Amino acid sequence: MPPVECLNWVKKEYIDKAPIWCSVDLRDGNQSLIKPMSLDQKIEFFKLLVKIGFKEIEVGFPAASETEYEFLRALIDQELIPDDVTIQVLTQARPHIIKKTFQALEGCKKAVVHLYNSTSLAQRVQVFKKSKEEILQIAIDGAKLLVEYAKETKGNFQFEYSPESFTGTEMEYALEVCNAVIDVFKPTKENKLIINLPATVEMSLPHVYAQQVEYMSTHMKNREALIVSLHPHNDRGTAIADSELGLLAGANRIEGTLFGNGERTGNVDIITLALNMYTHGVDPLLDFSDIPQIIKLYESVTEMKVYDRQPYSGKFVFAAFSGSHQDAISKGMKYHKHDTSGIWNIPYLPIDPKDLNREYSADVIRINSQSGKGGICYILETNFGLDIPAKMRETVGYIVKDVSDKNHKELTPSDVQSIFVDNFVNLKTPLELNEYHFIRESDIFKVMLSINYNGNRIDHLAEGSGRLDAVSNALKQTLHLDYNLTNYFEHSLDSSSKAEAAAYVSIKLKDKEYWGCGIDDDIICASIHALVSAINNALK
């Protein structure tokens, strides 16, 4: 760990601008797949990365295999690389590999040639059995060869150097190696050298990695001609924190992959990192506005699966099953409709799911036995236009949750609607309404009512102060029921002139409340159906 010299970056609250992004999906990500991508799949993935907005894309290790070589040649020969995109290739500091790498780059308009050699104590002693001086010389010789081949090869080349296994390297030695390489490349402000500081293996808390980054960034030669890049892996599960603190500590470039694919526990997930910035109002300069389509292509070409709880991307990351969470979200969503501030600040939702092409009804409120009345009624409102009265919601919630509990499964919006209809809407047993006719005499309404009750037809004449009151009186007298009509609500189901209407009625019978709902294109009919449905629930 380097000495603590300056920790001003610790006081920063957020990253204020996007770094340079470099996707390494086609190299680091691809080499970690059980079944590496085919040439056609790589081309398809490359096009996706371009569409998302990556301006630097590492396309492979062309000297490693014929497939890698052919892919690079296909990109160049088929002119698939946009003018504003720079490809990157990886090479070890070995002469024959460097030579083949430049052969593969012949005719490429722009490319970053990424040179690396391992510098850690463990690698020096256990793998290479070489001294510090010998490892340093490998880096210097490799850099010299890159400069020589770049002069002989047609194209526009930028260089990158990685002290691979940087986090296991003594900082003073890592600095010595990088400065020696800087002396060879002689970068300028117009043609900067990328110094990449990889957390090849996470070996410390994130703030320690950030201090290492700061130490290097502060002490490397010719800093104004350098781009400090990070390549964090996720061995400790803190690659995002490594990246964010590393950017605050002086880095300005990130190498990573979509969904964090990569060796062992993977690379840093660029989607999470970018969208973390987005939630702070910073444009990440990458387009993740259609996450479902990105997932579809990614899973197709890699045969990997995006975890259900993957930040921002997973199937359930916006899902609220808890009743209290659902209630807060549904109230927050209603508030947001009328909020003119333009600021997204919904309880439990750090980002608007619609910004990622995710649907509220399908992704946010999920219904099971743990759900609450607020979430259940939110589903009914957003999907089917049913604005359930507040006093009715508890009754609806218990019935829906009971179905989920007994069947041990999550309910879809259609399931919730079916349960609501079956238990509340236009019910016809044991009481069925045949027909009714009204006569108005001054302020009194008379109704001739015809019903079927337990298989018997009954006709009855009654009166009331309104149509619904007249029907209610007729039913009380016919069925010998002593109930009170306690609540009545109504609303249109849409804004058209021929819209259906929904009415909600509750009655109180023997100190217990029963609810019914009526739906019809006539509000009077809807209210009568709601009353009959409430009575049917009481009679059951």
Side-chain angles (χ1 to χ4, degrees):
M1 177 176 169
V4 178
E5 297 178 1
C6 176
L7 292 176
N8 289 329
W9 57 271
V10 174
K11 301 174 185 177
K12 298 178 182 178
E13 293 187 10
Y14 62 91
I15 299 161
D16 58 6
K17 67 177 181 179
I20 300 167
W21 301 107
C22 178
S23 161
V24 294
D25 290 89
L26 295 167
R27 197 276 302 169
D28 203 339
N30 183 62
Q31 76 182 34
S32 67
L33 298 176
I34 296 173
K35 181 182 174 183
M37 288 178 272
S38 68
L39 177 60
D40 289 341
Q41 288 174 325
K42 282 188 171 185
I43 290 174
E44 189 176 12
F45 204 153
F46 178 81
K47 290 178 179 178
L48 171 67
L49 296 170
V50 170
K51 183 179 179 182
I52 288 170
F54 285 98
K55 301 305 179 186
E56 296 186 10
I57 301 171
E58 189 169 77
V59 297
F61 196 147
S65 72
E66 195 60 30
T67 303
E68 298 276 288
Y69 187 94
E70 288 178 0
F71 173 52
L72 175 54
R73 290 312 313 167
L75 293 177
I76 298 169
D77 296 337
Q78 297 177 34
E79 299 183 350
L80 297 173
I81 307 168
D83 289 342
D84 62 345
V85 172
T86 301
I87 62 166
Q88 178 171 303
V89 293
L90 186 69
T91 178
Q92 293 173 328
R94 300 170 66 184
H96 71 284
I97 291 178
I98 293 172
K99 179 179 180 181
K100 189 169 183 179
T101 299
F102 276 93
Q103 289 173 346
L105 285 169
E106 186 69 41
C108 184
K109 295 178 183 177
K110 290 187 299 182
V112 172
V113 183
H114 182 182
L115 174 75
Y116 78 94
N117 68 303
S118 191
T119 58
S120 70
L121 174 62
Q123 294 265 26
R124 296 194 314 262
V125 173
Q126 299 173 36
V127 180
F128 300 108
K129 296 180 171 53
K130 291 184 182 296
S131 65
K132 284 184 176 181
E133 291 74 22
E134 290 172 308
I135 294 294
L136 173 63
Q137 196 60 48
I138 289 173
I140 292 171
D141 292 344
K144 288 179 178 178
L145 280 174
L146 257 64
V147 173
E148 291 176 17
Y149 278 109
K151 291 177 180 178
E152 300 170 1
T153 308
K154 185 179 179 181
N156 182 14
F157 301 109
Q158 184 178 11
F159 301 122
E160 175 176 354
Y161 174 71
S162 288
E164 201 248 350
S165 61
F166 165 74
T167 48
T169 304
E170 307 90 329
M171 286 301 102
E172 293 80 1
Y173 179 60
L175 179 64
E176 180 185 357
V177 174
C178 287
N179 277 335
V181 168
I182 292 167
D183 285 339
V184 174
F185 284 125
K186 296 180 174 57
T188 65
K189 291 182 180 179
E190 293 72 33
N191 188 19
K192 294 185 177 183
L193 170 65
I194 301 167
I195 295 291
N196 189 51
L197 304 175
T200 310
V201 179
E202 282 191 307
M203 303 177 73
S204 64
L205 294 175
H207 76 283
V208 175
Y209 179 59
Q211 286 177 243
Q212 294 169 336
V213 171
E214 182 185 47
Y215 174 80
M216 296 292 290
S217 180
T218 302
H219 291 87
M220 284 189 294
K221 294 180 179 179
N222 203 4
R223 179 62 181 88
E224 68 278 3
L226 303 178
I227 296 170
V228 176
S229 176
L230 308 180
H231 183 114
H233 279 254
N234 201 38
D235 304 87
R236 292 168 54 92
T238 58
I240 295 293
D242 286 340
S243 300
E244 291 179 331
L245 297 188
L247 288 171
L248 292 179
N252 42 21
R253 184 177 185 266
I254 294 288
E255 294 187 345
T257 59
L258 302 185
F259 310 109
N261 183 33
E263 294 282 11
R264 305 183 313 281
T265 55
N267 291 275
V268 66
D269 176 12
I270 285 182
I271 295 176
T272 300
L273 195 54
L275 291 177
N276 281 354
M277 295 178 193
Y278 181 77
T279 64
H280 286 160
V282 177
D283 184 356
L285 303 179
L286 295 174
D287 182 3
F288 295 117
S289 62
D290 196 353
I291 285 289
Q293 282 301 115
I294 294 172
I295 292 173
K296 183 178 179 181
L297 190 146
Y298 169 83
E299 292 187 337
S300 171
V301 300
T302 66
E303 298 185 15
M304 299 281 284
K305 295 295 179 184
V306 175
Y307 174 48
D308 286 343
R309 302 290 181 185
Q310 182 86 8
Y312 301 108
S313 308
K315 181 180 179 182
F316 294 139
V317 294
F318 298 116
F321 290 97
S322 161
S324 60
H325 288 207
Q326 291 176 347
D327 185 59
I329 291 171
S330 62
K331 288 175 180 175
M333 298 291 274
K334 284 186 176 181
Y335 179 87
H336 183 66
K337 286 181 181 179
H338 307 288
D339 182 21
T340 58
S341 70
I343 297 173
W344 178 263
N345 188 24
I346 304 296
Y348 300 110
L349 297 179
I351 190 173
D352 187 343
K354 285 192 173 180
D355 289 352
L356 310 179
N357 196 21
R358 302 285 294 271
E359 292 298 325
Y360 297 135
S361 58
D363 294 324
V364 177
I365 305 295
R366 308 293 291 256
I367 305 302
N368 64 15
S369 60
Q370 305 302 307
S371 301
K373 60 186 180 181
I376 290 166
C377 294
Y378 177 80
I379 289 289
L380 289 169
E381 181 176 3
T382 55
N383 287 272
F384 310 107
L386 294 162
D387 187 6
I388 310 300
K391 294 181 179 181
M392 184 183 182
R393 293 185 175 196
E394 186 170 2
T395 302
V396 175
Y398 278 127
I399 289 174
V400 173
K401 288 198 295 181
D402 186 58
V403 173
S404 175
D405 190 32
K406 288 178 178 177
N407 289 279
H408 303 289
K409 71 170 189 175
E410 181 187 358
L411 302 176
T412 67
S414 294
D415 292 334
V416 174
Q417 182 202 27
S418 294
I419 295 167
F420 179 76
V421 169
D422 291 345
N423 285 274
F424 297 102
V425 179
N426 297 1
L427 302 182
K428 296 181 179 179
T429 57
L431 168 66
E432 182 177 10
L433 190 62
N434 291 329
E435 56 182 325
Y436 48 88
H437 302 283
F438 294 105
I439 300 173
R440 182 171 183 175
E441 296 179 356
S442 187
D443 293 332
I444 300 298
F445 287 87
K446 292 184 178 181
V447 64
M448 174 56 71
L449 192 69
S450 174
I451 63 172
N452 280 335
Y453 180 56
N454 287 334
N456 299 313
R457 178 179 174 120
I458 304 173
D459 298 320
H460 191 79
L461 178 66
E463 63 182 40
S465 58
R467 291 181 176 85
L468 186 61
D469 185 51
V471 171
S472 180
N473 289 334
L475 292 171
K476 285 180 181 180
Q477 296 163 17
T478 301
L479 302 173
H480 307 292
L481 288 176
D482 184 18
Y483 67 79
N484 293 317
L485 200 156
T486 49
N487 289 287
Y488 176 81
F489 303 91
E490 64 180 53
H491 65 81
S492 172
L493 286 175
D494 64 49
S495 58
S496 68
S497 59
K498 295 182 180 180
E500 284 190 316
Y504 309 87
V505 166
S506 71
I507 63 170
K508 197 166 189 178
L509 178 65
K510 296 180 180 179
D511 295 326
K512 189 171 181 181
E513 198 160 49
Y514 301 92
W515 282 91
C517 174
I519 295 177
D520 197 279
D521 56 11
D522 181 280
I523 188 58
I524 299 299
C525 294
S527 62
I528 293 170
H529 285 310
L531 174 61
V532 171
S533 296
I535 292 172
N536 273 322
N537 277 329
L539 293 173
K540 290 177 183 178

